[in-house]
Each structure stands twice: as structure tokens, then as C-alpha cells.
Amino acid sequence: MDYCVGRTQLSGWSLFLSGIPRFTDIMKLFVYHTPEQTPAINTADCSIVIDVLRATTTMVTALSVGAEAVQVFIDLDTLMEVSEHWDPAKRIRAGERGGSKVEGFDFGNSPLDCTAEGMAGKRLFVSTTNGTRAFQRVQDSPTVLGAALINRHEVVKYLVETKPETIWVVGAGWEGTYALEDTVCAGAIAHLLMDKLGLSVSDIAGNDETIAAISLYKTWQNNLLELLNNASHGQRLLQLNCQEDMAYCATLDAVNCLPIQREKSVLVARV
């Protein structure tokens, strides 16, 4: 067998390779079940934060009805201190711990409380058990988006338009542990993105978690509410009589709004 790799042969081989999409030419999607699982060094071109039950669902809804911005905090005391400098008529303080509204706050974490009358022109200062931690974890990414089942199609539309190479999809989880609802949303995003771009699972998956998320979504895509009801955090919310919230959070592609980070920890509606 001839193993010659002279100038002519090498040139031809290079031409052949030039027609094959390189690894870096195809966007890769990496799913992380919790903020703690993300790599120490942020290499994402775009990070997508998911907290289906209920932080990102609430943020999407608030911005869709006219909230000026959503500003996220891990610490309740810091939220109070920062928001104190804001016009009281133009602010809403939202605090949630364990699924319940924090005493002394205007608002808990229910997306159904987000009305145009109450939200229009106001800034939502929010701290939740899990979702706001995830936003802080990826706040240094060039682009940070807020995603939920209700705005899945808007997230995918943005990705198709901008084509970032490296995408982190970060589930909020529950106090550092896996959450079914966030993973099925990650799978829903990946599944629609594959369809829109004509990509295979092997094309798009940056890690095994992405493949697992797609598989979870394909199994439950016709019964998302049942999945959410069976999830551990879904069970907590049902015990708090949040059945209507659950049904809303399980609705796919219902809201035309995409939260995007304008400055660190501040999200606005993409226009």
C-alpha cells in the first residue's frame, strides 16, 4: 500500500476535508442539570438558564406583560438594599423560598400573578430558591437567556438566528440536585433546534446529558403536565395548591418573549 503524502496528495486531501463540517462549524449544546455542574471556566458563547417551576416561567411572563426588567439576586438582604434605591412606584419585590412567598415581599414566584396592570413599566427584583443562583453562575457569558417551556420556540428562534458555537443549558435544579422539569425543557429546546437546523443528535450534543434530555422530552412531549406533577418539586407545589401554576408552566410555546441579559443580573425582553 502506498502511504505517500506528497504535496499533490496532501493538497487534494485538504480540499476533501474542506467540504466536511468541522466540529467548530456546528453548534454544540451542553446540558448541565444544576449550576454546580458547570465547568469552572466559562467557555459558553451563550448560556440558557432554565427554572420551569417557576422562576424563569415567571420572568418570561412578567416581561411579556410589560415589566421594564427583571433583576435577580441570590440573597434576600441584598435585594432589599438594592431595590431600596428604586422608585417604590416602579418596583416589585419578589421573594420565594421552598415554594412559598417570603414574608414582607410584594410577590412570591407565581407566573399567574404577572398581569399587565401590575407589572407594566416596573422592575421585578427577584430572589428564588434555585433559579437566581443559576443566573449568577453564568452571568459572565457573552449572552445569557431565560428559558422555560412556555417560551421554548423563542429561545430556538434566537439560536437559529445567531448560531452561537458553544451553548450551555443550565438547569436550576433543586438545592443542588437534579430536577426533571428543567431537563425536559432542555430536551425540548434541543429537539426543536435539531428540527429547525436539520441536525442529528450526534451533531448537536456536546455531552451525554444533552442526549438524555432529548430522550426525556421525546418520551414525555405529549404529557408534560404529568411529568411536572410527578417531579419532586412539582409535588411540593401541588401540596401548596399550585395546580394552576403547574398547568401554565407545562404549556409549550405559549409566550412570545425572550429574556436576555442586558447587564449582569438584569434581564429585559429581547426586541
Side-chain angles (χ1 to χ4, degrees):
M1 183 179 292
D2 186 0
Y3 287 94
C4 177
V5 287
R7 182 184 301 271
T8 302
Q9 289 90 341
L10 187 60
S11 175
W13 181 247
S14 299
L15 288 171
F16 172 73
L17 287 176
S18 68
I20 300 176
R22 296 170 298 158
F23 179 85
T24 53
D25 288 335
I26 300 173
M27 65 174 67
K28 287 290 180 177
L29 195 149
F30 298 79
V31 171
Y32 299 103
H33 297 312
T34 68
E36 292 79 10
Q37 291 183 353
T38 59
I41 299 175
N42 189 336
T43 58
D45 298 304
C46 175
S47 288
I48 302 169
V49 174
I50 301 173
D51 188 0
V52 171
L53 298 176
R54 293 165 286 170
T56 51
T57 303
T58 298
M59 294 174 189
V60 169
T61 306
L63 291 171
S64 75
V65 297
E68 175 264 333
V70 175
Q71 190 163 350
V72 299
F73 298 83
I74 292 179
D75 181 73
L76 293 168
D77 291 335
T78 305
L79 183 158
M80 294 298 287
E81 180 183 347
V82 172
S83 63
E84 192 64 31
H85 301 289
W86 207 261
D87 180 358
K90 294 293 184 180
R91 74 176 181 220
I92 299 174
R93 291 166 168 163
E96 173 266 324
R97 290 294 183 269
S100 298
K101 175 177 171 289
V102 177
E103 185 177 354
F105 279 70
D106 305 314
F107 189 75
N109 194 22
S110 173
L112 299 184
D113 289 338
C114 298
T115 64
E117 182 180 6
M119 291 280 176
K122 297 180 181 179
R123 176 166 296 202
L124 183 63
F125 295 86
V126 59
S127 179
T128 68
T129 306
N130 303 294
T132 50
R133 290 187 306 105
F135 277 106
Q136 186 180 69
R137 185 77 171 196
V138 299
Q139 65 182 358
D140 291 326
S141 301
T143 301
V144 178
L145 308 176
L149 290 168
I150 62 169
N151 75 327
R152 186 268 307 253
H153 64 305
E154 290 296 318
V155 175
V156 171
K157 178 182 176 182
Y158 177 87
L159 297 177
V160 170
E161 289 175 359
T162 61
K163 293 182 173 60
E165 285 188 4
T166 302
I167 305 165
W168 285 7
V169 183
V170 183
W174 175 262
E175 297 183 343
T177 61
Y178 176 88
L180 272 173
E181 65 274 9
D182 297 338
T183 301
V184 79
C185 183
I189 291 169
H191 187 265
L192 183 59
L193 186 60
M194 288 164 52
D195 180 65
K196 295 295 184 182
L197 294 179
L199 299 176
S200 67
V201 171
S202 60
D203 288 333
I204 202 169
N207 60 3
D208 288 353
E209 289 89 338
T210 302
I211 300 171
I214 294 168
S215 297
L216 181 68
Y217 172 70
K218 289 173 71 174
T219 299
W220 289 91
Q221 61 184 312
N222 296 320
N223 209 346
L224 292 170
L225 180 56
E226 183 179 350
L227 178 68
L228 268 58
N229 284 341
N230 284 316
S232 58
H233 190 39
Q235 290 289 305
R236 294 184 195 96
L237 293 177
L238 290 174
Q239 291 173 11
L240 295 170
N241 297 316
C242 295
Q243 288 87 349
E244 291 184 4
D245 274 16
M246 296 286 290
Y248 177 73
C249 292
T251 307
L252 198 60
D253 302 336
V255 180
N256 297 322
C257 181
L258 179 63
I260 187 167
Q261 184 173 265
R262 182 175 63 194
E263 56 190 89
K264 286 186 179 180
S265 300
V266 178
L267 294 104
V268 298
R270 182 184 184 234
V271 294

